Amino acid sequence: ALDQEAKTQRIAVSVAESTVISSRAAVEKAMISKQEYLEGTYLTERQVILSEISVAQQNLRKAELALQSAERLAAKGTLKPLQIEAEQFAVQNAKSTLESAQGRLKVLDDLTKQKMLVQLESDINTAKAKLESDETSLMEERDKLAEIQGQIDACSIKAPADGQVV
């Protein structure tokens, strides 16, 4: 019975070792995910928005120049008021696009980044806690196996001399 229990316990130890290995990988993965976000995803998203802001600023300058040109032509009487309105709308549209991109950058920097860091830190801490728990379970399983092995060893009786027991 003890031999059977020892076999079962060896399987339990193997399963616990496998779980610890998996937990270590989860901790490493969580740490890499944080680094990936900070050094990759976040910077890429930020660069895209900065690029959009730059394009929006250029479009705003173009629209403002077109409006100034239209106002000069209107003063000479070559453009109709409707065309000036269209140019004014283009300036407002360009301003809105620029403000939208600047707002997205502010949200990314102030909120999204913090939210992601909190989530990623939580993932790391959760993985570390699970690793600790799994390591404790592994130690307990090994202790139990050692105890069973000790019981098996205690069952062996050795005679001080060769011969038969009567």
Side-chain angles (χ1 to χ4, degrees), residues 2-29:
L2 286 175
D3 283 339
Q4 185 61 36
E5 194 175 338
K7 285 180 187 178
T8 304
Q9 193 58 35
R10 278 196 281 285
I11 292 171
V13 168
S14 294
V15 169
E17 287 172 344
S18 163
T19 304
V20 166
I21 291 169
S22 177
S23 293
R24 283 191 183 127
V27 168
E28 191 172 332
K29 179 182 171 191

Short mmCIF file of all heavy atoms in Angstrom, two decimals, residues 2-29:
data_model
loop_
_atom_site.label_atom_id
_atom_site.label_comp_id
_atom_site.label_asym_id
_atom_site.label_seq_id
_atom_site.Cartn_x
_atom_site.Cartn_y
_atom_site.Cartn_z
N LEU A 2 1.95 1.21 0.76
CA LEU A 2 2.85 2.37 0.80
C LEU A 2 3.55 2.58 -0.55
O LEU A 2 3.74 3.72 -0.98
CB LEU A 2 3.88 2.22 1.92
CG LEU A 2 3.35 2.42 3.34
CD1 LEU A 2 4.44 2.10 4.35
CD2 LEU A 2 2.83 3.83 3.53
N ASP A 3 3.91 1.47 -1.21
CA ASP A 3 4.52 1.59 -2.53
C ASP A 3 3.56 2.25 -3.51
O ASP A 3 3.94 3.12 -4.30
CB ASP A 3 4.95 0.22 -3.07
CG ASP A 3 6.24 -0.27 -2.42
OD1 ASP A 3 6.99 0.57 -1.89
OD2 ASP A 3 6.48 -1.49 -2.46
N GLN A 4 2.30 1.85 -3.46
CA GLN A 4 1.28 2.43 -4.34
C GLN A 4 1.09 3.92 -4.02
O GLN A 4 1.00 4.76 -4.91
CB GLN A 4 -0.05 1.68 -4.20
CG GLN A 4 -1.13 2.15 -5.16
CD GLN A 4 -0.74 1.98 -6.62
OE1 GLN A 4 -0.08 1.01 -7.00
NE2 GLN A 4 -1.11 2.95 -7.44
N GLU A 5 1.05 4.23 -2.72
CA GLU A 5 0.90 5.63 -2.30
C GLU A 5 2.11 6.45 -2.74
O GLU A 5 1.97 7.60 -3.16
CB GLU A 5 0.73 5.69 -0.78
CG GLU A 5 0.23 7.02 -0.29
CD GLU A 5 -0.05 7.03 1.20
OE1 GLU A 5 -0.25 5.95 1.80
OE2 GLU A 5 -0.04 8.14 1.77
N ALA A 6 3.30 5.85 -2.70
CA ALA A 6 4.52 6.54 -3.14
C ALA A 6 4.47 6.84 -4.65
O ALA A 6 4.84 7.93 -5.09
CB ALA A 6 5.76 5.71 -2.80
N LYS A 7 3.97 5.89 -5.44
CA LYS A 7 3.83 6.11 -6.88
C LYS A 7 2.87 7.26 -7.15
O LYS A 7 3.15 8.14 -7.96
CB LYS A 7 3.32 4.84 -7.57
CG LYS A 7 4.35 3.76 -7.73
CD LYS A 7 3.75 2.55 -8.42
CE LYS A 7 4.72 1.39 -8.45
NZ LYS A 7 4.13 0.20 -9.07
N THR A 8 1.74 7.23 -6.46
CA THR A 8 0.74 8.29 -6.61
C THR A 8 1.33 9.64 -6.22
O THR A 8 1.11 10.65 -6.90
CB THR A 8 -0.51 7.99 -5.76
OG1 THR A 8 -1.02 6.71 -6.14
CG2 THR A 8 -1.57 9.04 -5.95
N GLN A 9 2.11 9.65 -5.14
CA GLN A 9 2.70 10.90 -4.67
C GLN A 9 3.77 11.40 -5.63
O GLN A 9 3.91 12.61 -5.83
CB GLN A 9 3.27 10.72 -3.26
CG GLN A 9 3.61 12.02 -2.59
CD GLN A 9 2.42 12.96 -2.49
OE1 GLN A 9 1.29 12.54 -2.31
NE2 GLN A 9 2.68 14.26 -2.64
N ARG A 10 4.53 10.49 -6.27
CA ARG A 10 5.52 10.91 -7.26
C ARG A 10 4.83 11.60 -8.44
O ARG A 10 5.33 12.59 -8.98
CB ARG A 10 6.34 9.71 -7.74
CG ARG A 10 7.48 9.36 -6.79
CD ARG A 10 8.51 8.44 -7.42
NE ARG A 10 8.14 7.03 -7.47
CZ ARG A 10 8.14 6.20 -6.41
NH1 ARG A 10 8.47 6.64 -5.23
NH2 ARG A 10 7.82 4.94 -6.56
N ILE A 11 3.68 11.09 -8.82
CA ILE A 11 2.90 11.73 -9.89
C ILE A 11 2.45 13.13 -9.44
O ILE A 11 2.54 14.09 -10.20
CB ILE A 11 1.69 10.86 -10.29
CG1 ILE A 11 2.17 9.58 -10.96
CG2 ILE A 11 0.74 11.64 -11.19
CD1 ILE A 11 1.08 8.55 -11.20
N ALA A 12 1.99 13.24 -8.21
CA ALA A 12 1.56 14.54 -7.68
C ALA A 12 2.72 15.53 -7.66
O ALA A 12 2.55 16.71 -7.97
CB ALA A 12 0.96 14.38 -6.29
N VAL A 13 3.92 15.06 -7.31
CA VAL A 13 5.11 15.92 -7.31
C VAL A 13 5.42 16.38 -8.73
O VAL A 13 5.71 17.56 -8.97
CB VAL A 13 6.32 15.20 -6.67
CG1 VAL A 13 7.61 15.96 -6.93
CG2 VAL A 13 6.10 15.02 -5.18
N SER A 14 5.33 15.48 -9.69
CA SER A 14 5.59 15.83 -11.09
C SER A 14 4.60 16.88 -11.59
O SER A 14 4.98 17.83 -12.28
CB SER A 14 5.51 14.60 -11.99
OG SER A 14 6.54 13.70 -11.68
N VAL A 15 3.33 16.70 -11.23
CA VAL A 15 2.31 17.67 -11.62
C VAL A 15 2.61 19.03 -10.99
O VAL A 15 2.51 20.08 -11.64
CB VAL A 15 0.90 17.17 -11.24
CG1 VAL A 15 -0.14 18.26 -11.38
CG2 VAL A 15 0.51 15.96 -12.08
N ALA A 16 2.99 19.03 -9.72
CA ALA A 16 3.31 20.28 -9.02
C ALA A 16 4.53 20.96 -9.65
O ALA A 16 4.56 22.18 -9.80
CB ALA A 16 3.54 20.02 -7.54
N GLU A 17 5.54 20.17 -10.04
CA GLU A 17 6.72 20.73 -10.70
C GLU A 17 6.33 21.36 -12.03
O GLU A 17 6.79 22.45 -12.38
CB GLU A 17 7.78 19.65 -10.93
CG GLU A 17 8.49 19.23 -9.66
CD GLU A 17 9.40 18.03 -9.85
OE1 GLU A 17 9.28 17.32 -10.89
OE2 GLU A 17 10.23 17.78 -8.96
N SER A 18 5.46 20.69 -12.77
CA SER A 18 4.97 21.22 -14.04
C SER A 18 4.23 22.53 -13.85
O SER A 18 4.40 23.48 -14.62
CB SER A 18 4.07 20.17 -14.70
OG SER A 18 3.28 20.74 -15.69
N THR A 19 3.41 22.60 -12.80
CA THR A 19 2.65 23.82 -12.50
C THR A 19 3.60 24.97 -12.14
O THR A 19 3.38 26.10 -12.55
CB THR A 19 1.66 23.55 -11.36
OG1 THR A 19 0.82 22.45 -11.72
CG2 THR A 19 0.79 24.74 -11.08
N VAL A 20 4.64 24.67 -11.38
CA VAL A 20 5.62 25.71 -11.02
C VAL A 20 6.31 26.24 -12.28
O VAL A 20 6.49 27.46 -12.45
CB VAL A 20 6.65 25.17 -10.00
CG1 VAL A 20 7.84 26.10 -9.87
CG2 VAL A 20 5.99 24.97 -8.65
N ILE A 21 6.69 25.35 -13.16
CA ILE A 21 7.34 25.78 -14.42
C ILE A 21 6.40 26.67 -15.21
O ILE A 21 6.80 27.73 -15.73
CB ILE A 21 7.77 24.54 -15.25
CG1 ILE A 21 8.93 23.81 -14.54
CG2 ILE A 21 8.17 24.94 -16.66
CD1 ILE A 21 9.26 22.45 -15.12
N SER A 22 5.15 26.27 -15.30
CA SER A 22 4.15 27.08 -16.00
C SER A 22 3.96 28.44 -15.34
O SER A 22 3.85 29.47 -16.03
CB SER A 22 2.83 26.31 -16.04
OG SER A 22 1.83 27.07 -16.65
N SER A 23 3.95 28.47 -14.03
CA SER A 23 3.78 29.73 -13.30
C SER A 23 4.98 30.65 -13.50
O SER A 23 4.82 31.87 -13.63
CB SER A 23 3.57 29.46 -11.81
OG SER A 23 2.34 28.81 -11.61
N ARG A 24 6.17 30.09 -13.53
CA ARG A 24 7.36 30.91 -13.79
C ARG A 24 7.28 31.54 -15.18
O ARG A 24 7.62 32.72 -15.38
CB ARG A 24 8.63 30.07 -13.67
CG ARG A 24 9.03 29.80 -12.26
CD ARG A 24 10.42 29.18 -12.16
NE ARG A 24 10.71 28.88 -10.77
CZ ARG A 24 11.10 27.70 -10.32
NH1 ARG A 24 11.28 26.70 -11.16
NH2 ARG A 24 11.33 27.50 -9.04
N ALA A 25 6.82 30.75 -16.14
CA ALA A 25 6.66 31.27 -17.50
C ALA A 25 5.61 32.38 -17.54
O ALA A 25 5.78 33.38 -18.25
CB ALA A 25 6.28 30.15 -18.45
N ALA A 26 4.55 32.23 -16.75
CA ALA A 26 3.50 33.25 -16.71
C ALA A 26 4.03 34.56 -16.12
O ALA A 26 3.69 35.65 -16.60
CB ALA A 26 2.31 32.75 -15.90
N VAL A 27 4.88 34.46 -15.10
CA VAL A 27 5.48 35.67 -14.51
C VAL A 27 6.36 36.36 -15.55
O VAL A 27 6.29 37.58 -15.76
CB VAL A 27 6.31 35.34 -13.24
CG1 VAL A 27 7.15 36.52 -12.81
CG2 VAL A 27 5.40 34.89 -12.12
N GLU A 28 7.19 35.58 -16.22
CA GLU A 28 8.08 36.14 -17.24
C GLU A 28 7.28 36.77 -18.38
O GLU A 28 7.59 37.87 -18.86
CB GLU A 28 9.00 35.05 -17.77
CG GLU A 28 10.13 35.59 -18.61
CD GLU A 28 11.15 34.51 -18.97
OE1 GLU A 28 11.32 33.55 -18.21
OE2 GLU A 28 11.77 34.67 -20.04
N LYS A 29 6.22 36.09 -18.79
CA LYS A 29 5.37 36.60 -19.86
C LYS A 29 4.73 37.92 -19.44
O LYS A 29 4.66 38.87 -20.24
CB LYS A 29 4.29 35.58 -20.20
CG LYS A 29 3.35 36.02 -21.28
CD LYS A 29 2.27 34.98 -21.53
CE LYS A 29 1.22 35.51 -22.46
NZ LYS A 29 0.06 34.66 -22.53
#
